[in-house]
Amino acid sequence: MLVHSMLPRSTVNGPGERAVVWLQGCDLRCTGCWNPSSHTFDTSGDRWRPVEEVGAWILACPSIEGVTFSGGKPFQQAPELQLLCEYIRARKPALSIGVFTGYTLRELEQGRWHWRRNSDGGWTNGDARLFTQIRQLLDFAVCGRYRQLMACSDKPLCGSCNQDVVFFSDRYSQQDLPPQGYEVTISENGATAIITGFPPAD
């Protein structure tokens, strides 16, 4: 799978302390997206990671209650996303799993989405059956495209007010969601920094 970056601990990407994996590649490319460098399906360097390697990294993160997949667009690597979620559920079923996606729940349920094949870079239409298989492994998803003109600062986990948090299990409810916030993580040598969450517009 194509991975943009990984963070072993965050408190602004879902309930509790969570690992975060940003996948590489998104052809929705919402105007004003906070993470445009994740849009291209870049196969250079160390972007390509085996599913098992990413899964093992997640399971090795200490003191987390879950993992959140963001991007990029996780559902545009749907087969790999499914395999990764299955890997986690088989080895640590108590770990919660969440996803940020620019697709609406209706689009996913009706198959109005697509995923990119690793073999030739072509596209395959998504389908309701594949989405159902993945959603059974998830606890929540943040659904909907980011709309810059509808940006908000008071809706937990949502960058714009058209987006919705959808719960697929009874593990969480709206009351468990953290308020909007952001984090800056600087590497020990000061060479890199990861900003995640919902920084204020100014």
Side-chain angles (χ1 to χ4, degrees):
M1 64 194 317
L2 293 176
V3 175
H4 179 73
S5 58
M6 302 189 295
L7 188 65
R9 180 188 175 277
S10 172
T11 61
V12 297
N13 285 275
E17 296 184 356
R18 314 182 67 80
V20 187
V21 178
W22 289 270
L23 301 186
Q24 183 70 35
C26 172
D27 74 341
L28 298 182
R29 304 187 178 190
C30 301
T31 301
C33 174
W34 176 247
N35 200 12
S37 61
S38 70
H39 290 176
T40 60
F41 285 87
D42 179 11
T43 58
S44 64
D46 61 352
R47 296 287 191 208
W48 175 256
R49 306 279 184 89
V51 167
E52 294 79 7
E53 177 185 313
V54 179
W57 177 87
I58 293 167
L59 296 182
C61 292
S63 304
I64 58 170
E65 72 171 77
V67 59
T68 298
F69 298 113
S70 191
K73 196 61 62 232
F75 276 98
Q76 291 190 343
Q77 297 188 59
E80 291 81 11
L81 176 64
Q82 180 181 359
L83 289 173
L84 182 52
C85 291
E86 289 174 344
Y87 182 98
I88 294 167
R89 286 286 184 228
R91 290 160 178 81
K92 200 168 185 179
L95 208 66
S96 73
I97 303 176
V99 170
F100 280 79
T101 175
Y103 292 115
T104 65
L105 179 61
R106 178 172 292 184
E107 286 175 322
L108 291 167
E109 290 176 333
Q110 295 180 351
R112 292 187 286 120
W113 55 285
H114 55 228
W115 54 271
R116 190 174 186 268
R117 298 188 299 272
N118 289 321
S119 58
D120 60 4
W123 291 93
T124 296
N125 290 332
D127 61 78
R129 182 188 59 82
L130 178 56
F131 171 64
T132 297
Q133 291 173 343
I134 295 173
R135 74 179 286 173
Q136 290 172 346
L137 301 164
L138 302 176
D139 292 292
F140 70 91
V142 181
C143 298
R145 289 160 184 72
Y146 173 70
R147 304 292 188 194
Q148 193 170 27
L149 295 178
M150 302 176 74
C152 63
S153 60
D154 58 352
K155 192 173 182 182
L157 299 185
C158 298
S160 56
C161 59
N162 61 296
Q163 297 174 318
D164 291 302
V165 181
V166 181
F167 300 101
F168 297 129
S169 75
D170 59 4
R171 178 161 184 165
Y172 299 120
S173 67
Q174 195 71 29
Q175 289 71 33
D176 297 307
L177 303 180
Q180 281 194 10
Y182 70 100
E183 301 165 339
V184 180
T185 304
I186 302 173
S187 62
E188 289 186 10
N189 63 8
T192 60
I194 296 177
I195 302 173
T196 184
F198 303 88
D202 57 357

